[in-house]
Amino acid sequence: MAKNSIQPWANGTGSNRMTDAAYQRWDKSHGFEKGTASSEEANTLWATNSLVASAFGQFAADGSGTDVTTDMGRDQLVDAFKAALTQFINMGTGVPGSVVPVGSPIPWPKDEAPKGWLLMEGQSTDGFPVLKQLYGDRLPDMRGQFIRGCEQGRAVLSTQDDQIKAHEHDKGSLSTSEAGGHTPSGKTAPAGEHFHNYDRQTSERTEDGGGFDDGYKKRVFNEPAETSVEPAHEHELVMEAVDPHIHPVTGNTGSFGGNETRPRNIAFNYIVRAA
């Protein structure tokens, strides 16, 4: 573990320094008066500043892995602090307690991902070892997808197709309104001028042998015939009267809805911290 050599001044028990209450009452706006600074006042001032410097140095050493010493240059200390801050906000190693772990999907209101992030469009995780460890060979394609909390018995990162929960609709008592007693009636459609074909029965004489007064036989048979031509007309239809009644309605309702099941929503892109 990297060390931090910047230690707080006069931080031990019983140190020669002012109490916090006395320090708060002390007028610090003009600094020490010439020739009047006491060791207690000086120790308190150095202790306050060195405490902040020590905490800063410890953060830089722990997060960067670089030793923070009293003889390092300012630029070195700044670099160590930047590295520690990067580590803290998890730009690469997934430190517990960091702001956003690598691999976390985040809604993003732009079509381009910011630096260090990737749009989640099913692309390869090659070159991103942490993402490969979390997601496998490819990122999920989050376009048109919702995230759902993983319930017991379901695998993390498993997918589901859209679905409507099985249910029934009560048939109720749907029917037509009561029509009352009535006699259905109406007319046929006009047929226009026309005639009807039919077969008529007729007879004729054959050879001698009786049947007619003159002694000839009679032969009876059917022959095609036509009625006389009737002008265009229609036929009246009158049915037997019926009592008041209703008619039941059967069958299915018509199709309703679109091509998918979805809640009300707003579109964002999902991005993931890449490294």
Side-chain angles (χ1 to χ4, degrees), residues 150-203:
C150 187
E151 58 266 63
Q152 186 175 6
R154 183 179 174 188
V156 176
L157 295 181
S158 62
T159 60
Q160 290 179 326
D161 292 331
D162 54 348
Q163 187 180 62
I164 298 176
K165 187 175 182 179
H167 63 284
E168 296 179 348
H169 295 274
D170 185 3
K171 64 181 179 59
S173 57
L174 188 63
S175 63
T176 61
S177 58
E178 185 172 327
H182 59 280
T183 302
S185 62
K187 294 181 179 181
T188 61
E193 186 179 273
H194 64 282
F195 59 83
H196 298 277
N197 294 318
Y198 71 99
D199 289 334
R200 66 182 176 184
Q201 191 178 68
T202 189
S203 61

Side-chain angles (χ1 to χ4, degrees), residues 115-137:
K115 183 178 180 180
W117 297 71
L118 298 173
L119 291 171
M120 301 186 74
E121 296 181 339
Q123 65 269 49
S124 172
T125 55
D126 289 349
F128 303 97
V130 178
L131 293 183
K132 185 174 286 290
Q133 180 183 7
L134 293 171
Y135 290 105
D137 291 336

